[in-house]
Amino acid sequence: MLVLGWEAAVAAGLLREAFFPRPSTVLVHARRLIADGTLLGHAGPTLVRIAWAFSLAAGLGVTVGLAMGLWRRLREGLDPVFAVVYPIPSILFLPLVSFVVPRGEAALVLTTAVTSFFLIAFTTTEGVRQIDPLVVEAARHYGARGRRLFTAVLLPGALPYIFTGLRLGLGYALIVVVAVEIVNASRGLGALLWLSWQVLKVEDMYATFFVIAALGAVLSYGLAALRTHLLPWAQDVADR
Amino acid sequence: MTAVAVPLGLLALWEVLARLAVLSPRYFPPPSRVGAVLVESFAEGDLGGETLVTLTRLALAFALATVPAVPLGLLMGMARPVRAAMEPYIAVLFPVPKIALLPFLLILLGVGEPAFVLTGAISAFFQIIISTLAGVQTMDPRLLDVGRNYGAHGVRLFRTVILPAALPAIFTGLRLGLGLALVTIVAVEFIAAKSGLGHLVYRHWQTLSTPQMYGAFALVGALGLLLTRGLRAVQARTLVWQEDPGRL
């Protein structure tokens, strides 16, 4: 409906074609971008960066989060540090990261991972802490300790929270990767979007935007579907 | 004890390593120097000005998002046709990184404040509307029944039952929305604006004036902490019937 209205409005001259190209024109451009490989060539690096950043953030975040949930001392020590660093928008870490690692892929990936890491660590800690102490006590009573207690009680108990953290973290990684690519990359969807703006290729800009939007939808709803499939007993924590 | 010791210890470690030149002082100036530069640039007045620019953008964006988002969210929660009409668009647009809208807004509105502020407002808008809707949808239906049985209808039912039940979720939405608006505004400043704290970090990065860069960086952190902690304190104090305001 909206798309048809848009098409009609442009055709009738209500919207300026230079700024609001017809959806059909955008589609034609998108087809051409896909056919000559431009779109894929830019989507590839973005996907690889998200994959790396997300794996890094998830691996470290869940580990640190579990440790913080289990050991009070660690939690008390790291909490204030995390509380200060977490609200800093990820993109500001780009200069810092670029001092530590060589500019290029590694800097982009690390910057993208920062905020996702904190989100995942926070929710994981919360997930361990909200486990009913009675359950843990009962498990101990039945002789579960050490590794067994961890895999049979603590991890499954925290899993719904961990999953919420992963979902939020993935969403954040996409936001940051686009921002970072706008600033500091020659390839990637963010870079393509910004480049198309700078040379005023409006149709390419729309086409890129729709790919980014689709990517966001696929990542977010894909992960939600995966959670319902894997953890059917637990509601998404952020939905409460 | 540990809560104070660990951050201070980390800062002290950084100071010592930078002074001993184990960390290159060019890239990692000692915290004491960052602090001195921070005080100095505040005294000269330019840092306060830039902070004010960022805060103004943030306030405008937040207001621009909240004013339509809360009523719309409530309306969607209470009127099925409104929800049916709007939900698909919100579901599609919510996961889109809003920073990708910046070039469109720059074309539409020109390079300037309206485009910067609006990008921030849009990121907060979707978060607030979704939280508000969830607040109405997840309220205990028994509360509605009880309210109705006691003769509450229309405006009265809304004011005494629905709104108080949804308020904790709305507040959480406002808090998350404010955080998102800050992230987006600072990113927009970093990318496109020529003023504000985000731009300050970018400029000092390009000129490698690292003490100033870390100063602006720390200021953004303090601002974020103040806003999120402040709002959570307000939430805990005003919504006393809510058990746990949550952490994020």
Side-chain angles (χ1 to χ4, degrees), chain A residues 2 19-20 76-77 79-81 83-84 87-89 91-96 98-100 103 119 122-123 126 168 172 174-175 178-179 182-184 193-194 197 200 202 205-206 209 212-213 216-217 220-221 239, chain B residues 2-3 6-7 10 27-28 89 91-92 95-97 99-104 106-108 111 134 138 180 182-183 186-187 190-192 198 201-202 205 208 210 213-214 217 220-221 224-225 228-229 244 247-248:
Chain A
L2 266 187
F19 291 166
F20 300 96
E76 282 173 356
D79 245 356
V81 181
V84 178
I88 299 176
I91 188 143
L92 294 189
F93 284 94
L94 185 61
L96 247 126
S98 71
F99 291 162
V100 183
R103 269 197 194 202
L119 268 172
F122 270 146
T123 39
E126 218 37 39
L168 297 174
Y172 240 93
L174 181 64
I175 299 182
V178 170
I182 288 178
V183 179
N184 208 16
L193 184 76
W194 202 245
W197 177 63
L200 277 180
V202 182
M205 214 170 93
Y206 276 90
F209 177 78
I212 294 176
S220 152
Y221 295 114
D239 289 347
Chain B
T2 25
V6 173
L10 283 178
Y27 294 126
F28 302 96
Y89 298 107
V92 169
V96 178
I99 190 90
L101 287 172
L102 179 63
F104 296 93
L106 288 177
I107 283 189
L108 208 61
V111 180
T138 57
L180 272 176
L182 178 68
V183 168
V186 169
F190 196 89
I191 292 168
V201 172
Y202 181 77
W205 175 36
L208 270 190
T210 42
M213 189 191 100
Y214 285 101
F217 185 83
V220 176
L225 186 68
T228 46
R229 283 285 151 104
D244 177 23
R247 287 210 51 179
L248 292 174

